[in-house]
Amino acid sequence: MSLDEADIPARAAELCAEGHCAEAGDLLRPVAERDPASPAIWLLLARAELAAERYERALQAAEHTHALAATEALPDVIASVALLRLGRAEQALERARRAVATDPHDFDAVSLLARILSTAGFHDDALAAAADAAELAPEHPAAHLTAGVVAAAAGQRDVARASFRQVLTLDPANAAAQHELARLRLRRRFNDPAALADAASGFARAANAESASEKSVEVLERVLRAFLSKAAYLLFIDAYVVMRVAASSNGMAARLVPVVLLAAPACYAVRFLRRLAPTPRQRLVWLMIGERSLSTATALEALSAASILVAAVGAGFLRSGVAVVGAFAALAARLMLYLAQKRAAVAASGKAAEHAVRAGLIWVVAGLLGLLAVALVVAAVSRGRPNAAAGALVCLVAAGVLARAALRRRAPG
């Protein structure tokens, strides 16, 4: 159905509201070109092109609008955002300053200037501009969100937290404020399981908000992987210490040390899971079951914990070998989690996926493990050490797994 030209601006605004901004821009451009003296049409076109992420077109439309309405700040605001997205930061800052000079009472212009100044490292000026924006629009969540982001970048975390909480007072479902609060919790005490759980819960709330972005989901999953990785690290340390103790002692200490040491990763996991909200807890379970690399890493961590317990109750000749199995399992789990984290970061950046470890290096490590297995077998036969035979078996299994991974890299697809 064809539209009358007078109805096109209203229809374009509807399309933008529905998220079809590129279609709105295509609809508006012929009308704007036929009426080059209409600032309202050109301003609407600039906003549609900016929302459609067609930044060069948005910049051109904003330039044309400014030529028609030099006393308005909004064209310079749009031009500044477009320039920022195009990587022209200095020009973006210049336009933001011009927008504020045109209308010092436009809080959008002042907020944008504050963010650009903060990005450029002018923190004092950014804080002053953010305070002005919050004063101009005390009931607008975006003004306080800008104040929080700028304060966080300047290292004023208490001020940032207060600003983000003010955003949530005005708009309890604001995903950006939830996300930024979670980031502040994460920066404060990354090694504290309670702080890590609080951050995960915050990212989960941000991901569930109406205005949520994929960014909060990605960071939430990164935090959950970090929890599993830290647990694997603690298990590896425990297994290594148990291996050393078991090799030098057969007394009560060799039986008590594994149990005592296992309390560290157990307490870490319990504190994290008890503090974690139900939604991210369900997400963690889904990741541990549904994602192959994480489910394998979880199984390896369980094997490591079981090995440490067996080292506490098993016969003397088994302890060292079982502890070796636990150490290798925890190390393999941590490596798998590291690679999964790296793949997730690459995917989030939009870059083409690449293997974090090349096939050649995998073959080298597999060969070294094979040689170590041979040396352990020789030691087991010539010196009568059954523990060495258990270590050889672990090395052979690890070498086989690595060889299989290297072969799969070379397979088509």
Side-chain angles (χ1 to χ4, degrees), residues 217-233:
V217 177
E218 292 162 4
V219 180
L220 169 62
E221 293 190 357
R222 231 175 289 170
V223 171
L224 297 177
R225 289 190 187 96
F227 157 69
L228 292 172
S229 182
K230 286 180 180 296
Y233 178 68

Side-chain angles (χ1 to χ4, degrees), residues 1 12 15 54-55 105 161 167 255 323 355 362 366 390 399 404:
M1 182 179 70
L15 287 169
R54 299 194 296 205
Y55 301 122
H105 301 291
R161 271 191 290 273
V167 174
R255 296 186 179 278
H355 290 301
I362 295 177
R404 183 172 179 270

Side-chain angles (χ1 to χ4, degrees), residues 52-300:
E53 300 182 356
R54 299 194 296 205
Y55 301 122
E56 286 287 0
R57 293 185 180 187
L59 180 60
Q60 293 169 4
E63 296 279 16
H64 191 92
T65 308
H66 178 75
L68 298 173
T71 59
E72 292 188 17
L74 187 53
D76 276 325
V77 170
I78 294 173
S80 180
V81 174
L83 286 164
L84 198 60
R85 297 293 185 268
L86 291 168
R88 294 149 67 177
E90 290 185 6
Q91 294 177 21
L93 179 57
E94 180 184 344
R95 287 304 181 84
R97 290 187 187 278
R98 192 168 82 176
V100 173
T102 301
D103 186 357
H105 301 291
D106 186 329
F107 97 90
D108 282 325
V110 180
S111 292
L112 177 63
L113 177 61
R115 285 181 178 259
I116 296 177
L117 285 169
S118 177
T119 303
F122 301 110
H123 295 300
D124 291 339
D125 293 339
L127 288 166
D132 290 342
E135 186 176 346
L136 287 168
E139 299 302 317
H140 204 300
H144 297 285
L145 183 65
T146 294
V149 170
V150 169
Q156 299 185 5
R157 296 182 182 178
D158 291 338
V159 176
R161 271 191 290 273
S163 296
F164 295 139
R165 285 172 182 149
Q166 181 61 27
V167 174
L168 295 174
T169 299
L170 298 170
D171 178 13
N174 191 291
Q178 295 280 12
H179 183 91
E180 294 299 331
L181 270 175
R183 284 183 62 193
L184 285 176
R185 294 189 190 100
L186 200 57
R187 288 180 192 172
R188 185 179 54 187
R189 291 174 297 170
F190 188 78
N191 290 317
D192 183 352
L196 200 64
D198 287 344
S201 300
F203 288 125
R205 286 192 295 271
N208 290 332
E210 290 182 6
S211 55
S213 66
E214 287 296 319
K215 185 177 181 182
S216 295
V217 177
E218 292 162 4
V219 180
L220 169 62
E221 293 190 357
R222 231 175 289 170
V223 171
L224 297 177
R225 289 190 187 96
F227 157 69
L228 292 172
S229 182
K230 286 180 180 296
Y233 178 68
L234 291 172
L235 285 168
F236 172 74
I237 293 176
D238 288 358
Y240 177 78
V241 174
V242 169
M243 184 171 59
R244 301 296 296 177
V245 171
S248 60
S249 173
N250 286 321
M252 185 60 67
R255 296 186 179 278
L256 290 178
V257 166
V259 177
V260 172
L261 290 178
L262 198 58
C267 288
Y268 181 87
V270 168
R271 285 190 66 198
F272 179 84
L273 294 172
R274 286 185 62 183
R275 192 71 171 250
L276 199 61
T279 299
R281 195 180 300 156
Q282 292 168 4
R283 188 81 179 182
L284 176 62
V285 172
W286 179 86
L287 285 172
M288 291 167 62
I289 296 173
E291 189 173 319
R292 187 173 66 178
S293 61
L294 264 69
S295 61
T296 304
T298 303
L300 287 169

